[in-house]
Amino acid sequence: MSRRILIVDDVATNRIVMKVRLSEAHYDVLQARDGASALSAARRDRPDLILMDMALPDMEATELCRTLKAHPETASIPLIVVTAARSAEVKMRALEAGADEFLSKPLDEMILLARVRNLLRARETAEELALRNGTHRALGFAEAPEIFAPPGRVALIAADPRSGLTWRAGLAPLLSEPLAMITRAEALDSQADHPVADVFVVDSRLAPEGAGLRLVSELRAHAATRHAAVMVVVPEAARETAAMALDLGANDLILAPVDAQELAIRIRSQLRRKQQADRLRATVEDGLRLAVTDPLTGLFNRRYALPHLGRIVERSSETGRGYAVMLLDLDRFKLVNDQHGHAAGDAVLVEVARRLKDNLRPVDLVARIGGEEFMVALPETGFEQACATAERLRTAVQARPVDLAGEPGAIGVTISIGVAFGGERPPKEDGSPEGEVNALMAQADRALYAAKASGRNTVEICRSAA
């Protein structure tokens, strides 16, 4: 689904040029000419990112940033400030006011689009945390207690010892977090006796050429460092390196020569985001595990799935983005239990659950809602993407037989899938999220019945939804 970006600039020509650039990249673009109209648009239209000029006719961008960050409905929206000024003092004021990025005119389109993609990925974490917390409250659980977070750990990986010492000397009086100078090999050593860093500051000029960018990719692929924040130091003229670093998974960029005050502000911001992401994973993995998960497969159960779908419905009504719901049922599962025993049936359910989960996005929900029946909810998903996902799940389940532990042979398994859609044309019964959930489940159930009737191992779309 297209992400929505709000452009705030009092010069119509600037807005038009920016709109053309972003529209060509398939973003939905909104416009505002001053701070007051930007605030109204932000609260009304809930953009996914705001790109604003520093000098607005009724306020400075720093004031707009502070106001947006202070309001709960707009606090999580990423903010980019754009200006013709290049002074470090102006940049610091913008970053301290809550801006996520500061770009100077004339804008480099490659850097701009890479930065937009990067910030929108970071926003997905905040959105998912809010969605999970909303489901947690809807189930009647108390708010998770705020746990004291120990100081984060920062690792500096410089191209040469002099640069590393300069970074550490500049950061030491500005940060309370421990600072460690390490090598590329130490960053990837999961057996090291030092704890894994929360933030890595990586010099893009690591030797040999290209090693800095490779390290970004390796940190993202390494299990121990996958969730750490990665910041990359790049020369100002290295535009392609900067864009590639962001697309490889870097969380932020800092231009060389490094300004210690700017680096400290950006490190603190990344530490806050990592703590938020850690809380999300803790909530998903631990907070609701016993009450709302299926003990056999480890998936969420019906008690969790339906309120969570209700939250997806509510968010869709706010954003205008569609979503999809699937009901999936194992074909002829009773024969598995009858011919091979219930232990074999359990093994099949566990393996099917794993294959479903492995073929979905982290933001998607998969739940076991009955004996051999599963539900999948796909937030912010269009028709074609949902259909492709359903086919991918069907193919993944039938791809190979399920091996039985301690027994010869394997069991071939297929699954039938019914798909329904909501959001753009919501199938509401009584206008409430609960009514829409009931209507969607009924539509998906009819589609599932059609899939069974047409021969099984198929995907059927609810015709009224399509």
Side-chain angles (χ1 to χ4, degrees), residues 90-174:
V90 173
K91 177 186 286 189
M92 290 305 103
R93 284 197 293 115
L95 294 174
E96 288 172 348
D100 296 272
E101 185 55 281
F102 180 95
L103 300 177
S104 297
K105 298 177 181 178
L107 289 175
D108 184 303
E109 185 170 352
M110 179 187 295
I111 298 297
L112 171 65
L113 294 178
R115 204 68 182 96
V116 166
R117 290 191 296 270
N118 173 264
L119 289 172
L120 289 176
R121 285 195 300 269
R123 176 164 170 75
E124 289 179 359
T125 296
E127 289 180 334
E128 179 63 8
L129 179 60
L131 189 63
R132 299 284 182 187
N133 286 342
T135 304
H136 190 274
R137 290 192 299 273
L139 289 168
F141 295 106
E143 288 282 355
E146 288 291 336
I147 300 174
F148 172 75
R153 296 173 294 274
V154 180
L156 309 176
I157 309 172
D160 58 84
R162 177 179 294 182
S163 296
L165 290 171
T166 301
W167 295 354
R168 188 169 67 179
L171 290 171
L174 301 174

Side-chain angles (χ1 to χ4, degrees), residues 172-450:
L174 301 174
L175 294 175
S176 59
E177 288 74 18
L179 302 168
M181 289 177 56
I182 65 173
T183 65
R184 175 178 175 274
E186 289 171 333
L188 299 172
D189 183 7
S190 59
Q191 305 301 317
D193 55 5
H194 58 76
V196 175
D198 297 288
V199 177
F200 290 92
V201 181
V202 178
D203 196 330
S204 66
R205 301 166 297 177
L206 290 177
E209 185 177 354
L213 291 182
R214 283 197 300 275
L215 179 56
V216 174
S217 180
E218 290 165 341
L219 289 171
R220 281 286 165 259
H222 201 284
T225 57
R226 183 173 301 144
H227 302 301
V230 180
M231 304 176 63
V232 180
V233 178
V234 295
E236 186 171 5
R239 53 191 294 272
E240 292 186 3
T241 299
M244 190 175 298
L246 292 171
D247 287 336
L248 284 173
N251 300 86
D252 205 354
L253 298 176
I254 185 80
L255 297 181
V258 171
D259 180 285
Q261 184 181 1
E262 179 184 354
L263 181 56
I265 291 173
R266 292 182 181 272
I267 287 175
R268 285 194 291 268
S269 176
Q270 293 303 322
L271 284 170
R272 286 193 299 270
R273 289 179 180 171
K274 182 178 184 296
Q275 289 169 356
Q276 183 184 65
D278 289 344
R279 282 204 300 129
L280 168 59
R281 284 188 295 275
T283 297
V284 173
E285 295 169 3
D286 300 320
L288 303 176
R289 181 176 55 200
L290 296 179
V292 296
T293 55
D294 170 49
L296 176 65
T297 64
L299 299 179
F300 288 114
N301 58 22
R302 178 183 288 270
R303 186 186 183 200
Y304 181 92
L306 296 183
H308 187 78
L309 180 55
R311 290 287 298 162
I312 292 175
V313 170
E314 290 178 354
R315 191 167 77 181
S316 174
S317 68
E318 296 171 355
T319 64
R321 301 190 185 101
Y323 56 93
V325 179
M326 302 179 192
L327 290 181
L328 310 87
D329 192 84
L330 288 175
D331 297 325
R332 298 186 175 90
F333 182 70
K334 185 176 183 299
L335 291 177
V336 176
N337 284 328
D338 292 345
Q339 296 177 4
H340 301 276
H342 288 281
D346 288 349
V348 167
L349 289 170
V350 169
E351 176 60 18
V352 168
R354 186 192 67 78
R355 295 181 190 181
L356 294 176
K357 191 173 182 179
D358 287 349
N359 283 276
L360 292 167
R361 304 170 300 180
V363 73
D364 298 331
L365 171 75
V366 56
R368 182 187 177 199
I369 61 172
E372 65 268 24
E373 189 172 15
F374 299 85
M375 187 193 90
V376 170
L378 308 174
E380 300 193 5
T381 301
F383 178 82
E384 292 183 359
Q385 184 181 4
C387 292
T389 301
E391 283 294 338
R392 183 171 69 249
L393 296 178
R394 186 192 63 79
T395 302
V397 169
Q398 73 155 7
R400 62 185 186 279
V402 176
D403 295 322
L404 300 180
E407 295 185 20
I411 300 174
V413 181
T414 62
I415 200 164
S416 299
I417 304 176
V419 186
F421 297 89
E424 295 178 355
R425 288 183 291 173
K428 296 182 179 179
E429 286 184 340
D430 58 12
S432 68
E434 293 81 6
E436 185 166 335
V437 167
N438 293 335
L440 282 165
M441 293 292 286
Q443 290 180 356
D445 192 58
R446 288 195 295 272
L448 175 60
Y449 181 83

